Amino acid sequence: MLFLLSLFLLFSLPHVTFSAHCTTSTPTKTFQKCITLPTQQASIAWTFHHHNTTLDLVFFGTFISPSGWVGWGINPTSPEMTGTNALVAFPDPSTGQVVLLPYLLDPTVKFQRRPLLSRPLDIRLLSSSATLYGGKLATVHNGAAVQIFATLKLASNKTKLHHVWNRGLYVQGYSPTIHPTTANDLSSVMTFDVMSGSTAARHTNIGTLRSVHGIINAVSWGIMLPIGAVIARYLRHIQALGPTWFYVHAGTQLFAFFLGTVGFAIGIRLGDLSPGVQYGLHRKLGFAAFCLGALQTLALLFRPKTTNKFRKYWKSYHHFVGYGCVVLGVVNCFQGFDVMGEGRSYAKLAYCLGLSTLIGVCIALEVNSWVVFCRKSKEEKLRREGLIGGSDKGSAIFS
């Protein structure tokens, strides 16, 4: 079941690919190079003029709402939203025609402390314009394509640029509102050299790392840890197994924690590769689950013998921390699907089916345990009353 679930997750989760389906031509201009951006079906075409270090480019984007906005910009210092010099296209509230205004994205934009107001950019913008696919008479609608043209004056040694783009649902007056916060929307950043066309390697790998992170953690924290807890709760009562249940339980949990540690480390690396992108709740739940898992692993080193008077306290601690780790791990898996924008994906469906199967097995085993317990209690009561002999053991497989 784990193998099939892993394969399904592998082929269901999104992968970032750099397709060759970009164009260097527009109805009014032809450019030398183009590149497909990793999110939002966006692309950029450009021509870099060596003799005067000017850059002509066009950004191809799409609206997600008739009253929405599409923006592209350059961050002079780092690959993140904060500090970006942006050009934002949206329908004019009075005429309905597309307008293009400049905005500086300072740190207050992230917290929406005040409306975003248009102001001059810090970069040398020589000219800019925006047109809808279909010409000046075209209207904005959901899925409409927009082209943002810009001509920039670059420093002679500054040809590697941090490009930032995004799109939102609506505009208040002339102030674009916050964009959606799915993984794709928060990862709309790319660095490439306009002279050579080479991209920064970390952006080409981040999508693959995100998928691997999701698969490993769904299998380890979301499936294997609960399976280990089920083994400890139900198999230890089967006398025929002897101490085998303990070794299976410990082996399953140790392997799950080791695998989960790898996924946790990949998550930390993803955070380093995504400056300005924050998933507060997902991150906190991940750290909490990892700490509880580490405490559980260390607890094996201090496991008292069955005759030790502190054994009962150790068991209470082990149960409390163990079940807490399982709950946090499963909850954070669902949080991770939402973070990746896979809340309605087949990958999440596969995980839910696997988890539901495990829950169904738990319910069946729990019912069986109570049936056996009630039967044993009844037999013990009859034995005390002398209605059955002490040698009758019953046919139960549970003690």
Side-chain angles (χ1 to χ4, degrees), residues 137-161:
L137 298 180
T139 58
V140 176
H141 59 274
N142 188 13
V146 64
Q147 299 168 357
I148 298 177
F149 295 86
T151 301
L152 307 171
K153 176 69 174 179
L154 304 181
S156 57
N157 60 344
K158 187 66 175 178
T159 58
K160 183 179 289 186
L161 304 178

Side-chain angles (χ1 to χ4, degrees), residues 9 13 208-220 263 266 270 333 336-337 340:
L9 288 171
L13 287 174
T208 302
L209 280 178
R210 187 184 293 116
S211 297
V212 172
H213 168 74
I215 293 169
I216 289 178
N217 286 335
V219 172
S220 58
I266 294 175
L270 283 171
C333 283
F337 280 114
M340 295 182 68

Side-chain angles (χ1 to χ4, degrees), residues 20 50-51 76 90 103 105 140 175 183 228 239 245 284-285 294 323 327 361 396:
H50 298 268
H51 63 282
F90 54 88
Y103 296 87
L105 307 184
V140 176
S175 298
Q239 293 179 338
W245 72 267
K284 292 174 183 176
L285 289 175
Y323 285 121
V327 171
V361 171

Side-chain angles (χ1 to χ4, degrees), residues 115-131:
L116 180 62
L117 301 178
S118 177
R119 51 178 169 162
L121 304 181
D122 292 336
I123 59 177
R124 297 183 63 182
L125 179 66
L126 303 181
S127 64
S128 63
S129 62
T131 60

Side-chain angles (χ1 to χ4, degrees), residues 354-396:
L355 189 63
S356 300
T357 301
L358 184 59
I359 293 174
V361 171
C362 291
I363 293 174
L365 291 174
E366 190 70 27
V367 170
N368 181 73
S369 297
W370 277 103
V371 170
V372 172
F373 173 77
C374 293
R375 185 172 61 190
K376 296 292 288 184
S377 298
K378 184 177 180 180
E379 290 177 355
E380 186 65 26
K381 179 180 179 181
L382 294 175
R383 188 176 294 109
R384 287 197 304 268
E385 294 175 355
L387 298 179
I388 61 174
S391 60
D392 296 335
K393 301 294 183 182
S395 59

